[in-house]
Amino acid sequence: MLIDTYGRVATDLRVSLTDRCNLRCTYCMPEEGLQWLAKPDLLTDDEIVRLITIAVRDLGVEEVRFTGGEPLLRPGLVGIVERVARLTPRPQMSLTTNGIGLERTAAALRDAGLDRVNVSLDTLRPDVFQALTRRKRHADVLRGLEAARAAGLTPVKVNTVLMPGLNDDEAPDLLAWAVEQGYELRFIEQMPLDAQHGWKRDGMITAGDILASLRTRFTLTPEGQDERGSAPAERWIVDGGPHRVGVIASVTRPFCRACDRTRLTADGQIRTCLFATEETDLRAALRSDAPDAEIARIWKLAMWGKKAGSGLDDPSFLQPERPMSAIGG
């Protein structure tokens, strides 16, 4: 069991498969990209599957989320999913993706055992998409979403970040579109995970701003804490149901008290929090032929030291050194 000193138990594992991405989102990385991890530093497919096996079999992990960077850029992704699906007990598996390439891979991922996807899409306007991502790939994302829905990777969740002066006026339109398409929309407050450290608390679009905008067109009824559990998103029933919309308010409404996540970076480091500044190295143990029991011990010790909160509610919060692409969302 992965328990910390505050009694929280981690049952949800986020696995970053690569630090690379084929977009250059302004809130994530600079236009010129980043210095990518060298291939020898990345975990191999076998190493990833071994660590997930230890987590599921020995440490009580029940859900595995594959992230990046952009996980669809990982050549062995389908094979990794297929192997994890054969574990006993079988974990629930999901994927967070920008949707580019999902059109051609959705069916294969479903057949391999993937349960559902989260797709990032911040705007319905192609010109705004290009301004936000520095790429002309809006139509590819829409086709990827359609392919995920057709493949049965449901519920298909759409993750949206609103940025001042770019797409901050789109919340109602995005929700109307998501309801029409049968997607579950989740707004995410912009978080301080950009490599260029351009994030500023002042001026960010808050959960309160998002909800106020949505209520100009929709009636929102809180779903309630019992339904939420340890999920990061607060959810509201839209116009009496059945559709729902979520808001992940990591900055203004931290949910650390109910956190059940542990994170594995693409180069084999354990992070107890997305915003942690410390990591615990599992790759070295793997490559020194440590037995599974020793790797599990190291992992449990790392989680035992998890802090009470992310620190985001502290105005003097120090941004983590690694950008989102290297950590996994």
Side-chain angles (χ1 to χ4, degrees), residues 115-131:
D115 295 300
R116 63 172 190 83
V117 294
N118 288 31
V119 179
S120 299
L121 179 65
D122 301 321
T123 178
L124 298 175
R125 307 194 295 250
D127 59 324
V128 176
F129 182 90
Q130 185 175 350

Side-chain angles (χ1 to χ4, degrees), residues 211-250:
L211 292 169
S213 179
L214 293 176
R215 286 181 172 127
T216 63
R217 196 182 305 179
F218 302 94
T219 299
L220 303 181
T221 306
E223 187 178 58
Q225 187 61 41
D226 291 342
E227 293 288 337
R228 182 182 183 184
S230 61
E234 294 180 77
R235 298 205 307 175
W236 282 263
I237 301 167
V238 180
D239 289 343
H243 300 287
R244 285 161 169 74
V245 63
V247 178
I248 299 177
S250 300

Side-chain angles (χ1 to χ4, degrees), residues 130-146:
Q130 185 175 350
L132 281 166
T133 68
R134 306 183 178 106
R135 297 291 187 270
K136 295 182 178 181
R137 306 299 297 273
H138 188 259
D140 294 327
V141 179
L142 294 180
R143 287 194 295 268
L145 279 161
E146 293 167 2

Side-chain angles (χ1 to χ4, degrees), residues 2 10-15 61 259-264 270-272 299 303 306:
L2 293 170
T11 58
D12 185 336
L13 170 61
R14 308 294 171 98
V15 181
V61 163
C259 181
D260 65 350
R261 284 168 290 287
T262 181
R263 299 175 183 275
L264 177 65
I270 288 299
R271 278 191 165 230
T272 59
W299 203 329
M303 294 306 296
K306 183 172 181 171

Side-chain angles (χ1 to χ4, degrees), residues 16 27 30 108 116 149 157-158 172 179 209 241 279 284 296 314:
S16 174
Y27 51 77
R116 63 172 190 83
R149 181 179 57 198
K157 296 183 179 180
V158 177
V179 167
D209 298 331
E279 297 176 332
D314 181 350

Side-chain angles (χ1 to χ4, degrees), residues 27-42:
Y27 51 77
C28 184
M29 69 173 73
E31 186 171 3
E32 64 275 13
L34 299 167
Q35 182 68 44
W36 307 124
L37 292 167
K39 187 173 182 179
D41 293 335
L42 292 170

